[in-house]
Amino acid sequence: MIDLGVAAASLLLALLAGLPSPSFVAGLVLATRFPRLGVWLGGAAAFAVLMIGSVLVAAVVSALPTVAEVVLCSLAFLAVAVVLFREGLVGSSQAKEDLDAAITRQESSATITHMPVRPGFVMVLTTSFTTFLLAHRWPIIPILAAALGARTSSPISSGVGGWLGLVLLVTVATMVGGYVQDRVTRWRVRLIPAVASGLLALWSLLDAARG
């Protein structure tokens, strides 16, 4: 059964942690060149694969002895918090430069430059799937979802929420990515999931201590 509270928390964390992110950049660039539906479906499929992996990891971790589970989940929460804090504290001008550089790299990638002028739907779908999947070199959101699912004993709920958050992210990127691009670097949006992840680490430790 789906725990709506866990799913909602995972959705919000995934969406906020993904603005901006390699997935957002990939969606933005792909949607300017190829049909949005194929890009969106490719992204949704890639995120489903990532979150299925997250659910499996969460299920394995939740089956470990309590001490091991608490340590692993707390470390995961703390690691994500540190990464997001560092990215959220970057100055607005530097953040914009970083985003522009990421877009340029994505635009000049072999995946984009070697595509035919009018690719078929299947090619757009498979290219988008591969691009979104490879964009997660440092899979913050799947790690966060796995840790949340393990500590709440609701891996499926966390996985579903994380997937919906990522799908919403690619929807924003493909539909209104240009509008968001001009504004997202001025936001400290990543500080929100960073603080939340830090609080989850603290909650994980306190909950284990009380138990």
Side-chain angles (χ1 to χ4, degrees):
M1 185 175 181
I2 299 295
D3 186 321
L4 294 180
V6 174
S10 185
L11 185 156
L12 288 174
L13 288 171
L15 178 60
L16 293 174
L19 286 171
S21 69
S23 296
F24 177 83
V25 171
L28 175 63
V29 172
L30 290 169
T32 60
R33 285 160 173 74
F34 311 124
R36 287 185 171 87
L37 179 59
V39 173
W40 187 88
L41 290 173
F47 297 147
V49 172
L50 288 170
M51 299 317 296
I52 287 172
S54 176
V55 169
L56 293 175
V57 170
V60 171
V61 172
S62 62
L64 295 174
T66 302
V67 173
E69 177 193 331
V70 170
V71 169
L72 288 175
C73 292
S74 299
L75 287 175
F77 286 135
L78 286 173
V80 170
V82 169
V83 171
L84 293 177
F85 262 121
R86 290 185 61 178
E87 294 180 353
L89 293 176
V90 173
S92 59
S93 59
Q94 182 61 50
K96 188 176 188 309
E97 289 179 8
D98 292 343
L99 181 57
D100 290 341
I103 291 174
T104 301
R105 286 195 301 272
Q106 187 66 62
E107 289 176 332
S108 60
S109 66
T111 302
I112 302 296
T113 56
H114 291 170
M115 287 282 282
V117 176
R118 294 183 179 179
F121 180 79
V122 174
M123 180 176 285
V124 172
L125 181 65
T126 54
T127 298
S128 299
F129 174 84
T130 304
T131 302
F132 280 111
L133 200 61
L134 295 179
H136 279 75
R137 294 189 183 91
W138 168 224
I140 289 176
I141 296 171
I143 290 173
L144 193 55
L148 181 63
R151 284 304 289 139
T152 57
S153 299
S154 302
I156 294 178
S157 300
S158 183
V160 169
W163 178 75
L164 290 174
L166 287 169
V167 169
L168 185 55
L169 175 68
V170 75
T171 302
V172 171
T174 55
M175 299 303 174
V176 291
Y179 176 85
V180 175
Q181 177 193 351
D182 295 333
R183 291 159 179 79
V184 73
T185 52
R186 300 184 190 127
W187 303 340
R188 300 296 187 184
V189 288
R190 285 204 158 185
L191 293 178
I192 300 173
V195 171
S197 188
L199 291 175
L200 284 171
L202 182 61
W203 161 77
S204 178
L205 294 170
L206 292 176
D207 183 60
R210 284 199 303 269

